[in-house]
Amino acid sequence: MTARKNFWTALALAAAAGLASAQGYPSTKPIRLIVGYPPGGGIDFAARTVQVPLQEALKQQMVVDYKPGASGMIAATELTRQAPDGYTLLLANTGPFAIAPYLQSKPPYDPVKQFTYIGQISQGSYIAVTRNDHPAKDLKAFVAWAKGQPGKVNFASGGAGTSTHLNGELMNQVTGLDMTHVPYKGSAPAVQDLIGGQTQILIDAGSVLLPQVKGGKLKALAVTGPKRDPQLPDVPTVAELGLGGMESVGFQGLVGPAGMPRDVVDRLSNELAKVLAQPDIQAKFAVAGAEVHSLGPTAFSAFVKADNEKWAKLIRERKLQLD
């Protein structure tokens, strides 16, 4: 009888502790939000867009901490070393969570198993762009032009192991081209050299490219998502051009270290979903060429796992490796 009483007492205490944890988080210190890229890029934009409304909802300061380098892997690796208490989070994206680790002979972390997935924030098509004075009117015409320039066509990327790198490799695979990869330290210098004529094509996020396209410095050839970008209604999708194998979307979301308490994950996920439901937040992402795509922990984790399988397969088939 005593054992049974002790069992129910322990169960009640555990439930009370869980409730206290949910009610108490976050209370002891500011939340650190790691961003694995320099200020001014698409990942920073997403972090800054959700930072203020999320900290208001949580009633706790959220501090953005930049840890750029190694295609976002420095930041992701650091997160794996943090306590899973909800006070250190990371703005995750496609590069370090679905691509870059598979380009290492010894991956620094397992993107599926070593993180707690809290909630997806957005998905967005990539845009294939070239110089505004290029003769190709769309991506299909660009491919035909490139095939007439063997050994002379380069594609730019924001760095080896980024989504921009793999999008170029995917284009090579789908079209049979052999464009040379030219990596840069971020999207900004890649865009500038494309405008300057040092490279011929770049496939990057709308948050990076839309200002250049709308400013007349770059020409949009296609979008890689399943539907046209509302910001570029006259630009066809890759599928419309017969290049459906090039379809891809980038994702952004909130993650923490593995082993976070369920109640803390639920609190963060629920508050994030409320923030993303706000019309002004959705409008900010839309203007930047991304679409708010709120997913809870389970669905977000499943989405990332599927994305991992897609890019890991391409990496194997293209025999790509960074070390």
Side-chain angles (χ1 to χ4, degrees):
M1 192 73 180
T2 301
R4 181 179 296 179
K5 181 179 179 182
N6 289 342
F7 169 78
W8 288 111
T9 300
L11 192 63
L13 288 172
L19 180 61
S21 174
Q23 292 175 337
Y25 172 85
S27 59
T28 61
K29 57 185 176 181
I31 299 168
R32 179 184 172 214
L33 178 59
I34 303 174
V35 173
Y37 298 86
I43 310 306
D44 180 40
F45 165 80
R48 292 293 182 184
T49 301
V50 302
Q51 174 198 12
V52 173
L54 196 54
Q55 70 182 7
E56 289 174 352
L58 293 168
K59 296 180 173 57
Q60 183 61 270
Q61 184 182 14
M62 181 172 282
V63 180
V64 175
D65 185 11
Y66 298 99
K67 295 290 181 181
S71 302
M73 288 192 295
I74 289 176
T77 301
E78 178 165 339
L79 186 67
T80 65
R81 300 171 180 149
Q82 305 304 309
D85 55 8
Y87 287 96
T88 306
L89 308 173
L90 183 137
L91 205 298
N93 68 298
T94 306
F97 280 81
I99 294 173
Y102 301 107
L103 291 164
Q104 312 293 318
S105 56
K106 294 182 179 179
Y109 52 82
D110 185 318
V112 175
K113 297 178 180 179
Q114 284 188 262
F115 300 92
T116 297
Y117 285 83
I118 296 166
Q120 183 169 284
I121 294 172
S122 70
Q123 287 183 19
S125 300
Y126 299 102
I127 307 170
V129 298
T130 189
R131 279 169 55 103
N132 203 40
D133 60 357
H134 195 282
K137 64 179 176 56
D138 57 33
L139 192 59
K140 185 175 181 180
F142 181 92
V143 171
W145 171 85
K147 287 183 176 180
Q149 313 284 327
K152 297 180 182 180
V153 181
N154 302 322
F155 76 88
S157 83
T162 62
S163 57
T164 52
H165 173 196
L166 268 290
N167 274 320
E169 294 291 353
L170 183 61
M171 181 173 172
N172 271 340
Q173 184 184 61
V174 170
T175 63
L177 290 172
D178 189 25
M179 299 183 296
T180 301
H181 175 217
V182 182
Y184 290 85
K185 293 181 179 180
S187 292
V191 168
Q192 290 308 309
D193 267 14
L194 178 62
I195 293 171
Q198 282 75 30
T199 59
Q200 285 73 51
I201 192 168
L202 169 66
I203 306 174
D204 208 333
S207 56
V208 173
L209 298 176
L210 276 173
Q212 306 293 340
V213 172
K214 292 189 173 184
K217 293 183 178 180
L218 292 175
K219 178 192 297 183
L221 300 171
V223 295
T224 65
K227 58 184 180 181
R228 293 195 180 198
D229 188 329
Q231 300 293 317
L232 300 169
D234 297 328
V235 178
T237 66
V238 288
E240 288 176 308
L241 296 171
L243 301 169
M246 283 184 61
E247 277 197 355
S248 64
V249 294
F251 71 83
Q252 298 169 340
L254 201 61
V255 304
M260 286 176 59
R262 187 72 221 184
D263 57 320
V264 173
V265 174
D266 288 344
R267 174 81 195 282
L268 286 165
S269 178
N270 290 337
E271 296 297 352
L272 179 62
K274 292 175 186 175
V275 166
L276 296 176
Q278 296 175 17
D280 62 322
I281 297 296
Q282 295 183 1
K284 287 179 181 179
F285 277 99
V287 169
E291 179 181 355
V292 167
H293 203 278
S294 181
L295 293 178
T298 301
F300 182 29
S301 178
F303 176 87
V304 175
K305 183 178 180 181
D307 218 35
N308 272 254
E309 292 169 355
K310 168 187 174 175
W311 292 117
K313 180 174 181 287
L314 176 68
I315 289 165
R316 289 193 304 270
E317 292 173 350
R318 299 289 295 174
K319 296 181 172 57
L320 303 174
Q321 194 166 313
L322 296 182
D323 58 358

